[in-house]
Each structure stands twice: as C-alpha cells, then as structure tokens.
Amino acid sequence: MPIKKNMRLGDLLVESSILTQEQLDEALQDKSTDQKLGDILVQKGFVTELQLIEVLEFQLGIPRVTLYNYPIDTSLLKMVPKEFARRNLVIPIKKEENKLFVAMADPMDYFVINDLRLSTGFTIEPFIATKDDIIRSVSKFYDVDDFAKDIVSTEQDDQGFDTTDVEDEDSPVVKLVNQLLQQAVVQQASDIHIDCQETKVHIRFRVDGKLRSERSLPKHVQGSLITRIKIMANLDITEQRVPQDGRIKLSLEHRQIDLRISTLPTIYGEKIVIRLLDLSMAQNDIDHIGFEQDNLEKFKKMIHQPHGIVLLTGPTGSGKSSTMYSALTHLNEESDNIITVEDPVEYQVEGINQIQVNPNVGLTFAAGLRAILRQDPDIIMIGEIRDKETADMAVRASITGHLVFSTLHTNNSLGTINRLKDMGVELFLIASSLNGVVSQRLVRKICRDCKQEKEPTEREKEIFAKYGVSVEKVYQGEGCPTCNMTGYRGRTAIHEVLVIDDHIRQALLNNESTIAIRDIAVENGLKFLIKDGIEKVKKGTTTTEEILRVALD
C-alpha cells in the first residue's frame, strides 16, 4: 500500500474501516479548537489509542516505540525544552550521526517536526508512542530531575522549604503539587493519598479502585507540601490537630476537575486524601453506565413511576451516586421540579436544585427533606438514608405522590428490606412505597489495547455452568503501557435489579421470610450480581477474578 504522507488522520481511519464516516463527522463536530482529533476519537470510544498507532504505523511507515522500559538517552533532554515536550507530546529518545529520533503522539504534526529541526539542527526521525506513555516519560525524566535539583538547592533544615514559597508559582512545592495533580488526571486516578511517615512522605494514586505507589518524597518536603494544598483549598494552615475538609476547582489537561480535600491528623503529620471528580468524564447517560439490556428496561420502568422510592445499594465507592445522577439527568425536564439534599454535592447538574447538608446549623437530611416537601417537588433525591427519621420522611414523601431516590449501605438488593425493617419502618409502608432496589458494584474493565483471548480454566467452567452460561473462550489483558502493565483500564458496573411487584408486596404484607421473597424475585427474573458479572465476562468486558472479588459466589 502506498505511503500517504499528506493524508489526514480521519480519512486514514475511515479508509482502514476502523472508523465510519458518521463517527468521524460527529467527532469533528464535537472537537474543540485546541483539541486533537485522535484525542476526541479515543475519548468517545470510537477507536483505541493502539488502533490509532497501528494505522499510522502501517499507512505511513512510521515505526512504533514503547517507552515503558526504553533506555532513553537523558543527555538529549536539554535539546528539547520541557514545556515544548509537554505541550506537543514529544520526547527525544536517541541520536545517530545527524539524526535525532523523537517519540511523538502525533507524528503527522509537521509544524512540530519543523520546529524541532530548526531548534536542534538535526534531521528529525519520528517514532509513534501513546499519549500516556509520553506524558509519563516527560514527568519521569524532566520533572523528577528538576524537582530533585530544587529540593537540593532549597533544602534548608528539617523544617523544609521557606513557607513563603508556597504561593509562588515558580517555587518547587507549587510545581510538585501541580505535577502530582496532572499525573493523577492523566492516569485517571480517583484519589491521591499523601501519607506522612517517620522518614518520608509516601504518595499513592487510586486507579480503577486499586491503590498503587507513585513516589516517595523526603521528609523535609512534608510541611510545605501540606501547607500548599491547604492554601489551595482555603483551609486553616495553623490548625493541625483536627480534621478539615475543603474543595478546589481546576482546569487540567483541557478538563474541568473538582477536587475534594480531606485532612486527618496522624502521629507523623497530617494525612491528606484528594478525591478527583473529572466533570468532563462524568457519565450521565443512563444507556452507557453498564446496565445489561434487561436490567436497563427494569430500571427505566422503575424510575418512570409517578411516585414511590427507588433505592441504590452497595458499599462506599460502588458508583451509587453516578447511577443516581444518570437517572436524574434522564428525568430532568422543564416540567419537573427536582430537588436533592446531599452530603456532599458531588456533581452540579443544571436544572436541578441541589442542597448541601450542614449539620453545624441543623441542616440534616431529615431537616432538608422536611423543607423540600414545602417546595412543591416532583422528584426528590436524598443522598443517603442513615437513620429512622430520614427513612420515615422518605416513605411519607413517596406515599404523598413524590418519586424519591436514595442510597443505602447493604450487601445485596434483598437485604435492603431487612435494613429498612431494622430502622423501624413498618412492613406495610415498605410494601406500599418501595418501587425497586438496585444493588451494584464496580469492576475493572480489560484494557482494550492488550486484550487477549484465552481458554477458560476448569474453575471458570464450573462457575459458568452453575449459572447456566456456556462459554468457550474468555479474555484477559496482557499488560501494556496504556494500562500501566495491569491489564485493566477503566471500570464498569455490575447490577442486581429487584423490582417490587404485587407478588413481593403481598409476601411483605404476609411477613414472609427473606428466602420466600427471594424465590418469588428469582421467578420474576431477578438476576444476581454474580450472574450479571458472568455475562460481562462472556462478552469480554471484564475477568472472572474481578467478578469474584466484588460479588459472592
């Protein structure tokens, strides 16, 4: 096939049958002026980054390089300034005579190649590498060296940096915090943990639900690092004995990021956890949050009832809030008055009235709900039912003609009924007010770039047979730079959707056992968490290990 040096990326992908013309048109329409086409295509899920690289490698004859363990010649870094490398996603990797070999995320960017040729005086030979691979390498080779020099030059005593530097944009600690936040966003981390230990400060990122070490910093950095974060979050820097909470809004990597800051006094200093909420990545489309088709239909039917309670259950961090927001977004119309009372307000949704709980002034869930009922609401969302008073108010609101959404901490959908009974809600009120319960968990998705087919093990065959699912092949991730060699990238949800129909209502009124109610639910098509997960394993979305990690067999 001839090399098409001047052919545009979109046309190359369409010609290679990886992308349809409709998908290309949609991406071009949604693309912002400073966003590259490849980025928007990957963000929308139309192509993987590996597919982009393979097309460019094949069509343009430009070789691909993996930087994860590549022996980069660090003496070349001074030829390409750090800001240029980060802005244009390039990094020099080796030199041969008058040729400079450069890894690029976009080897078709001839302006960048020309700039490099003029500034270095070398002939530029481009290699293709993934965007994440280059960003990681730039941080690893440029930033770490810069920061090490800054620490050496600024280290004064055990107290750390001069505290006047924590607001100077050019100071090492400000650069360090910015770099940590940028790396967390690139790696799609949900949390940053800053742990103060006896001799060092340990930084960890939670990516796809798993904590992993990012780096360790010298102990003398601790004071100024914590002070910088507290200043950004408008916290009291003089108070180190009590926990504090704050919030920061930033724009990083062309994305709006909402940061929740939590401090906790420990024996070696304040531990800080930063929760990152990527507002641009928030999935509010009910059709794209992981529901299988039959469960999606049940859930939609449940939330389209004129009144009643819909409960979402699961442990902390199981995606309950995201599912609830997607339901509210789906129902958000001008004709409905939607009011929420939350702790905290995680995502701000236009057209919905959101209330932040504040126990210090007496604004609890129950007090907020009592006030909401005087505001002529159609749909009410309560962040969490924690006590009998809130549960009673929610039941009363649903019986008086309102649709109520809330969350509970239970292990499965059927356990919700016992939880409400334990809170003191009468059985006849549960039967008449509850529309349904959705129990969910988050599981890691197999990385699309290193996904491999394999034979199921004997244990897997037994599990599949137990739930009446036949399987000939399953999938796993081999590990690649895109997924940081884990084999997983991103998460999806598995669900258990319990619809409270007339048969279950009658069983509740007759005070029948949980086992009897479960049998009725199974007859009516209740699919347990593990069965929903196994179907996702068969589709190649996740692995059996992931399902068994979050759902009991």
Side-chain angles (χ1 to χ4, degrees):
M1 190 176 288
I3 295 174
K4 303 176 176 62
K5 283 282 184 189
N6 297 314
M7 199 168 182
R8 292 180 301 180
L9 176 61
D11 298 329
L12 278 174
L13 291 166
V14 171
E15 188 177 282
S16 304
S17 303
I18 290 173
L19 198 67
T20 65
Q21 188 62 46
E22 291 74 25
Q23 288 174 325
L24 175 61
D25 293 341
E26 183 185 331
L28 289 169
Q29 187 177 343
D30 294 348
K31 184 173 81 72
S32 60
T33 50
D34 60 345
Q35 195 174 21
K36 291 187 182 294
L37 176 62
D39 291 347
I40 190 79
L41 290 172
V42 172
Q43 189 179 317
K44 284 183 167 289
F46 292 157
V47 297
T48 69
E49 202 165 0
L50 195 65
Q51 284 177 319
L52 280 177
I53 286 175
E54 284 173 348
V55 165
L56 293 173
E57 183 182 24
F58 179 73
Q59 297 282 61
L60 305 178
I62 298 173
R64 176 175 46 167
V65 64
T66 298
L67 301 176
Y68 193 75
N69 287 318
Y70 194 91
I72 290 176
D73 184 352
T74 52
S75 65
L76 301 174
L77 298 178
K78 59 181 180 291
M79 300 177 71
V80 180
K82 180 175 70 173
E83 287 311 313
F84 183 91
R86 177 175 280 151
R87 186 174 66 250
N88 296 296
L89 296 174
V90 299
I91 188 167
I93 54 175
K94 66 177 181 177
K95 183 180 73 169
E96 287 178 8
E97 297 174 355
N98 68 333
K99 289 181 181 178
L100 181 66
F101 293 85
V102 179
M104 305 179 67
D106 182 5
M108 299 171 74
D109 194 334
Y110 299 110
F111 292 108
V112 171
I113 292 173
N114 203 38
D115 284 348
L116 284 170
R117 184 177 58 80
L118 292 170
S119 63
T120 62
F122 286 89
T123 302
I124 304 301
E125 290 287 335
F127 278 61
I128 315 172
T130 65
K131 179 183 174 184
D132 289 354
D133 216 2
I134 291 176
I135 289 172
R136 265 197 295 267
S137 297
V138 168
S139 295
K140 180 179 175 182
F141 292 104
Y142 282 99
D143 293 339
V144 171
D145 286 350
D146 282 1
F147 183 63
K149 290 174 197 164
D150 286 335
I151 286 178
V152 171
S153 63
T154 325
E155 185 176 350
Q156 295 157 0
D157 52 38
D158 288 341
Q159 298 302 310
F161 302 129
D162 180 356
T163 53
T164 57
D165 283 348
V166 294
E167 294 192 64
D168 178 3
E169 287 299 319
D170 292 323
S171 75
V173 72
V174 172
K175 289 179 182 174
L176 171 65
V177 172
N178 293 343
Q179 181 193 330
L180 285 175
L181 293 175
Q182 185 181 37
Q183 286 178 336
V185 170
V186 168
Q187 294 184 37
Q188 295 181 10
S190 60
D191 301 86
I192 302 172
H193 287 242
I194 300 172
D195 298 318
C196 299
Q197 298 176 359
E198 188 174 6
T199 58
K200 62 185 177 181
V201 180
H202 194 41
I203 311 289
R204 293 182 294 170
F205 289 173
R206 188 179 293 280
V207 181
D208 294 337
K210 291 271 189 180
L211 269 176
R212 62 178 183 226
S213 295
E214 180 63 20
R215 65 168 68 170
S216 288
L217 300 170
K219 184 70 174 176
H220 70 265
V221 178
Q222 178 178 312
S224 47
L225 175 63
I226 290 169
T227 301
R228 171 60 184 167
I229 293 170
K230 288 170 88 169
I231 285 172
M232 290 174 74
N234 290 322
L235 300 180
D236 184 354
I237 61 172
T238 62
E239 182 55 80
Q240 299 172 4
R241 298 162 301 172
V242 296
Q244 296 186 65
D245 293 306
R247 188 172 184 171
I248 306 169
K249 274 200 169 182
L250 291 174
S251 180
L252 288 167
E253 299 286 312
H254 306 296
R255 303 177 194 167
Q256 284 299 315
I257 309 293
D258 203 352
L259 308 176
R260 301 291 158 73
I261 315 298
S262 172
T263 73
L264 185 71
T266 69
I267 56 171
Y268 294 123
E270 288 177 280
K271 173 181 169 69
I272 291 186
V273 175
I274 303 173
R275 165 66 57 89
L276 293 94
L277 295 170
D278 189 342
L279 303 179
S280 64
M281 298 286 280
Q283 182 57 267
N284 286 329
D285 186 348
I286 200 170
D287 295 312
H288 295 100
I289 56 172
F291 276 106
E292 295 295 319
Q293 192 56 42
D294 53 342
N295 279 340
L296 179 62
E297 287 169 9
K298 288 179 188 175
F299 185 55
K300 280 185 174 177
K301 187 175 179 183
M302 208 184 280
I303 66 175
H304 279 287
Q305 299 292 327
H307 53 80
I309 301 178
V310 176
L311 291 175
L312 286 109
T313 75
T316 304
S318 58
K320 301 186 298 292
S321 297
S322 297
T323 303
M324 204 147 54
Y325 279 115
S326 68
L328 290 177
T329 304
H330 180 73
L331 297 170
N332 189 8
E333 293 180 2
E334 193 179 340
S335 56
D336 288 325
N337 179 20
I338 303 176
I339 308 180
T340 75
V341 54
E342 307 168 59
D343 182 23
V345 175
E346 289 193 12
Y347 297 107
Q348 294 169 13
V349 185
E350 193 175 341
I352 294 178
N353 306 284
Q354 295 170 277
I355 302 168
Q356 170 74 54
V357 166
N358 187 354
N360 296 331
V361 294
L363 181 54
T364 60
F365 278 118
L369 186 49
R370 200 175 292 114
I372 285 172
L373 290 172
R374 294 193 288 270
Q375 289 280 319
D376 184 31
D378 296 294
I379 299 169
I380 299 167
M381 191 264 265
I382 308 162
E384 186 184 341
I385 294 177
R386 295 176 180 169
D387 50 47
K388 184 179 188 304
E389 188 182 6
T390 310
D392 286 340
M393 293 290 295
V395 168
R396 196 182 311 163
S398 68
I399 288 172
T400 53
H402 305 95
L403 182 62
V404 179
F405 290 92
S406 192
T407 67
L408 265 181
H409 290 289
T410 61
N411 289 329
N412 54 40
S413 55
L414 288 158
T416 307
I417 294 166
N418 287 333
R419 182 87 176 87
L420 290 171
K421 278 163 63 177
D422 292 343
M423 280 184 172
V425 182
E426 296 287 347
L427 268 177
F428 74 92
L429 289 174
I430 297 173
S432 57
S433 63
L434 198 58
N435 288 351
V437 182
V438 177
S439 181
Q440 77 172 53
R441 303 286 189 278
L442 291 179
V443 292
R444 293 182 293 172
K445 293 195 293 185
I446 298 170
C447 173
R448 294 195 298 172
D449 286 346
C450 59
K451 187 174 178 179
Q452 298 289 331
E453 195 178 291
K454 69 160 191 161
E455 286 286 317
T457 63
E458 289 303 316
R459 171 73 175 137
E460 284 176 317
K461 286 177 182 174
E462 284 174 23
I463 294 168
F464 276 84
K466 180 178 176 181
Y467 291 94
V469 178
S470 61
V471 65
E472 294 176 3
K473 58 188 177 184
V474 291
Y475 299 86
Q476 68 178 21
E478 292 291 302
C480 66
T482 305
C483 60
N484 215 12
M485 310 308 286
T486 61
Y488 296 98
R489 186 166 172 85
R491 290 191 290 178
T492 189
I494 57 172
H495 300 94
E496 183 176 300
V497 182
L498 172 66
V499 179
I500 306 296
D501 62 4
D502 290 341
H503 293 102
I504 293 177
R505 285 196 174 93
Q506 192 58 53
L508 284 171
L509 292 171
N510 294 340
N511 199 14
E512 292 188 25
S513 68
T514 304
I515 294 172
I517 293 170
R518 185 189 68 187
D519 291 342
I520 297 169
V522 170
E523 281 178 31
N524 293 345
L526 173 66
K527 188 163 60 179
F528 294 114
L529 275 170
I530 193 163
K531 176 75 182 293
D532 190 52
I534 281 170
E535 289 180 2
K536 283 185 166 64
V537 173
K538 187 175 181 180
K539 284 183 175 179
T541 306
T542 187
T543 61
T544 313
E545 291 83 4
E546 274 297 290
I547 301 304
L548 295 178
R549 183 175 65 83
V550 299
L552 293 172
D553 179 15

